[in-house]
Amino acid sequence: MFRNFKLVPNVIFGRSCFDQLDEIIEKQRKDKDSWAVFVTDDVFKGKALEKRIPLHDNDILLWVNVDDEPKTQYVDELTLKVKAARSTLPCAVIGIGGGSSMDLAKSISLMLTNEGSSTLYQGWDLIKNPAVCHMAVPTLSGTGAEVSRTAVLTGPEKKLGLNSDYTVFDQVVLDPELIKDVPKDQHFYTGMDCYIHCIESLEGTYLNEFSKSYGEKALALCRQVFLDDHPDKDDKLMMASFFGGMSIAYSQVGACHALSYGLSYVLGTHHGIGCCIVFDYLSEFYPEGVSEFRTMMNKQGIDLPRNLVKNLDEDQIEKMITVALGLDPLWENCLGPDWKNIMTKDKAKSLFLEM
Ligand SMILES: NC(=O)c1ccc[n+]([C@@H]2O[C@H](COP(=O)([O-])OP(=O)(O)OC[C@H]3O[C@@H](n4cnc5c(N)ncnc54)[C@H](O)[C@@H]3O)[C@@H](O)[C@H]2O)c1
Ligand SMILES: [Fe+2]
């Protein structure tokens, strides 16, 4: 079966294109009572960007906090807040921030039109009704959340996305100026999420020309950003994230993402840094990728946290292994159909104990 892959229909790209957001939202405002919700990372409270958000009288600026990555309970609370604010549905939900804020915006737009808790929809194609029109304004590049068909959520029972065609954004606003002030470490971790997407896709058994075309371009852009310090590196990373997301959408991620889900499930490690911590120990699977990653890390002056796992108790390590090995397609992409004989529980444990 081939995937019939839903694309983002509208994309605007360019420095300062954020200034066109008002005009873009205007098309969704059908009458004088129409209102929009700006789901905005609270890191921008009091910053210059706050004043540039094109708020109309009826609109709501919903600050969100992403110190923890998005949880189902938080999505449910935010959705209730939006529902309580007005008696009608908003004409648009606009997510402004990194992968976490974009996923919150996706989730709220879906939960406004689908009954019950977001926990009911964690999985594949469980969403019944189309979302409210939703738009993304990334302020941090690498996750590819701006193009993906999922909104990753941690629930009481599982960490699993709202994965559906309805999840895909209706509009993406790519303004490279918005990522220029990201702190150095965060910029690297989220950027490496993109680099690792490319390596896992290009080195994977699921590779096809669609994924390869996007993955190769994204990888070349990552090199210009993290090895060459190119003067247009913000523009380049923004496009790398987009293309890296397109690459994995039609293939799959691999060993690094599988193990990093285990790590983050137990330790709450954030996605970007979690991927970096794991990738450093995967030279057996991605020798050239890991070697280049280390060069990038040195060049950017990044020190990764170490010794996170060996002092955990057996139950926690066991949970980490169960979560990581439960991701069959990721392992199959990395190691082929015989993966269970290669990535045994003992093997996974020995890798975790190094981290
Ligand atoms: N939906 C998907 O396809 C997908 C794919 C990969 C990851 N994700 C999710 O994305 C999240 C990770 O996203 P992320 O790495 O972009 O980080 P993030 O959104 O979690 O943000 C990380 C930190 O950077 C700050 N930040 C964001 N923009 C900034 C800016 N311009 N200046 C200063 N600080 C800024 C945030 O406030 C936060 O403290 C995870 O929740 C992960 O599960 C989703
Ligand atoms: Fe990722």
Side-chain angles (χ1 to χ4, degrees):
M1 271 274 283
F2 293 97
R3 223 170 283 172
N4 191 2
F5 166 44
K6 171 108 187 268
L7 295 173
V8 176
N10 282 80
V11 181
I12 180 169
F13 174 86
R15 288 175 183 242
S16 295
C17 75
F18 183 76
D19 293 338
Q20 273 172 255
L21 183 59
D22 192 31
E23 195 181 297
I24 292 167
I25 299 169
E26 193 55 43
K27 294 204 176 74
Q28 304 301 323
R29 299 186 193 271
K30 304 292 180 224
D31 56 53
K32 65 170 186 19
D33 296 325
S34 291
W35 58 291
V37 185
F38 295 85
V39 175
T40 311
D41 188 324
D42 64 8
V43 77
F44 296 112
K45 252 187 201 172
K47 300 277 162 57
L49 186 66
E50 178 181 353
K51 297 185 190 70
R52 294 174 61 204
I53 297 174
L55 274 179
H56 287 212
D57 286 348
N58 279 337
D59 294 351
I60 292 176
L61 177 50
L62 187 65
W63 291 112
V64 291
N65 183 273
V66 299
D67 290 347
D68 290 329
E69 293 190 338
K71 294 195 168 60
T72 50
Q73 196 191 340
Y74 193 37
V75 167
D76 293 350
E77 285 165 19
L78 292 168
T79 307
L80 277 179
K81 224 173 177 176
V82 175
K83 280 184 171 168
R86 309 267 183 273
S87 57
T88 54
L89 283 177
C91 68
V93 174
I94 303 102
I96 305 176
S100 298
S101 306
M102 287 190 270
D103 280 357
L104 285 170
K106 284 175 171 177
S107 304
I108 294 167
S109 73
L110 288 162
M111 296 318 300
L112 284 169
T113 54
N114 288 275
E115 287 291 308
S117 164
S118 51
T119 54
L120 299 171
Y121 304 98
Q122 285 181 280
W124 279 267
D125 302 305
L126 301 175
I127 298 279
K128 296 187 181 74
N129 304 312
V132 167
C133 168
H134 49 304
M135 308 183 183
V137 182
T139 64
L140 183 55
S141 286
T143 63
E146 63 277 24
V147 286
S148 78
R149 81 190 291 277
T150 189
V152 182
L153 298 181
T154 304
E157 279 157 32
K158 53 197 166 195
K159 181 171 179 181
L160 189 57
L162 309 180
N163 207 311
S164 81
D165 277 353
Y166 298 131
T167 311
V168 177
F169 281 114
D170 299 293
Q171 168 82 54
V172 175
V173 176
L174 300 176
D175 180 346
E177 277 182 355
L178 301 182
I179 67 170
K180 73 173 191 310
D181 297 326
V182 177
K184 183 187 83 169
D185 286 19
Q186 187 64 57
H187 176 264
F188 182 78
Y189 299 144
T190 305
M192 284 302 108
D193 188 18
C194 174
Y195 178 79
I196 296 165
H197 290 161
C198 297
I199 300 295
E200 290 184 315
S201 172
L202 292 168
E203 300 293 321
T205 60
Y206 289 2
L207 190 64
N208 52 67
E209 197 53 48
F210 186 102
S211 293
K212 190 163 177 251
S213 306
Y214 282 109
E216 284 176 348
K217 185 65 197 176
L219 185 62
L221 291 166
C222 285
R223 288 177 175 142
Q224 290 182 301
V225 174
F226 293 103
L227 293 175
D228 305 344
D229 249 332
H230 195 284
D232 293 334
K233 61 180 192 296
D234 295 337
D235 304 57
K236 289 182 184 289
L237 188 57
M238 201 158 245
M239 285 320 299
S241 175
F242 194 94
F243 276 35
M246 293 290 285
S247 181
I248 49 173
Y250 220 80
S251 59
Q252 187 48 275
V253 284
C256 180
H257 275 73
L259 293 167
S260 84
Y261 286 136
L263 198 74
S264 80
Y265 192 85
V266 174
L267 295 177
T269 318
H270 285 213
H271 185 74
I273 188 172
C275 285
C276 289
I277 291 167
V278 172
F279 197 59
D280 200 28
Y281 295 98
L282 297 185
S283 48
E284 193 181 333
F285 307 102
Y286 307 111
E288 288 161 16
V290 174
S291 156
E292 188 169 58
F293 163 78
R294 288 180 184 151
T295 309
M296 291 175 172
M297 200 156 56
N298 285 336
K299 205 164 162 76
Q300 302 297 324
I302 302 290
D303 278 322
L304 288 177
R306 310 253 175 214
N307 298 320
L308 300 170
V309 177
K310 72 168 185 245
N311 296 322
L312 297 179
D313 58 47
E314 275 301 315
D315 284 355
Q316 287 176 301
I317 298 176
E318 189 65 28
K319 183 77 204 165
M320 241 176 220
I321 298 167
T322 308
V323 170
L325 295 188
L327 297 159
D328 294 44
L330 282 64
W331 290 110
E332 189 175 306
N333 180 41
C334 177
L335 300 169
D338 192 33
W339 70 267
K340 285 187 177 148
N341 290 322
I342 307 166
M343 189 46 62
T344 58
K345 281 180 89 169
D346 285 347
K347 178 71 189 169
K349 184 171 181 178
S350 73
L351 284 167
F352 276 131
L353 287 175
E354 287 184 72
M355 293 173 197

PDB file of all heavy atoms in Angstrom, residues 193 197 257 271, ligand 2:
ATOM      1  N   ASP A 193      17.745  17.665  15.304  1.00  0.00           N
ATOM      2  CA  ASP A 193      16.567  16.825  15.067  1.00  0.00           C
ATOM      3  C   ASP A 193      16.398  16.677  13.555  1.00  0.00           C
ATOM      4  O   ASP A 193      16.193  15.574  13.032  1.00  0.00           O
ATOM      5  CB  ASP A 193      15.337  17.485  15.724  1.00  0.00           C
ATOM      6  CG  ASP A 193      14.103  16.598  15.702  1.00  0.00           C
ATOM      7  OD1 ASP A 193      14.243  15.378  15.503  1.00  0.00           O
ATOM      8  OD2 ASP A 193      12.990  17.138  15.913  1.00  0.00           O
ATOM      9  N   HIS A 197      16.825  13.375  11.262  1.00  0.00           N
ATOM     10  CA  HIS A 197      15.748  12.935  10.359  1.00  0.00           C
ATOM     11  C   HIS A 197      16.336  12.553   9.006  1.00  0.00           C
ATOM     12  O   HIS A 197      15.979  11.531   8.417  1.00  0.00           O
ATOM     13  CB  HIS A 197      14.713  14.048  10.132  1.00  0.00           C
ATOM     14  CG  HIS A 197      13.869  14.354  11.331  1.00  0.00           C
ATOM     15  ND1 HIS A 197      13.167  15.536  11.458  1.00  0.00           N
ATOM     16  CD2 HIS A 197      13.624  13.656  12.460  1.00  0.00           C
ATOM     17  CE1 HIS A 197      12.527  15.531  12.605  1.00  0.00           C
ATOM     18  NE2 HIS A 197      12.784  14.404  13.236  1.00  0.00           N
ATOM     19  N   HIS A 257      15.538   7.897  16.930  1.00  0.00           N
ATOM     20  CA  HIS A 257      14.234   8.324  17.423  1.00  0.00           C
ATOM     21  C   HIS A 257      13.610   7.263  18.329  1.00  0.00           C
ATOM     22  O   HIS A 257      13.033   7.585  19.361  1.00  0.00           O
ATOM     23  CB  HIS A 257      13.310   8.710  16.268  1.00  0.00           C
ATOM     24  CG  HIS A 257      13.505  10.138  15.838  1.00  0.00           C
ATOM     25  ND1 HIS A 257      14.620  10.545  15.143  1.00  0.00           N
ATOM     26  CD2 HIS A 257      12.764  11.254  16.055  1.00  0.00           C
ATOM     27  CE1 HIS A 257      14.535  11.862  14.944  1.00  0.00           C
ATOM     28  NE2 HIS A 257      13.419  12.314  15.486  1.00  0.00           N
ATOM     29  N   HIS A 271      12.689  16.523  23.094  1.00  0.00           N
ATOM     30  CA  HIS A 271      12.942  15.775  21.861  1.00  0.00           C
ATOM     31  C   HIS A 271      14.316  16.052  21.236  1.00  0.00           C
ATOM     32  O   HIS A 271      15.061  15.119  20.936  1.00  0.00           O
ATOM     33  CB  HIS A 271      11.824  16.074  20.857  1.00  0.00           C
ATOM     34  CG  HIS A 271      11.928  15.277  19.603  1.00  0.00           C
ATOM     35  ND1 HIS A 271      11.614  13.943  19.550  1.00  0.00           N
ATOM     36  CD2 HIS A 271      12.345  15.611  18.352  1.00  0.00           C
ATOM     37  CE1 HIS A 271      11.817  13.493  18.322  1.00  0.00           C
ATOM     38  NE2 HIS A 271      12.257  14.487  17.576  1.00  0.00           N
TER      39      HIS A 271
HETATM   40 FE    FE B   2      12.518  14.240  15.406  1.00  0.00          FE
END
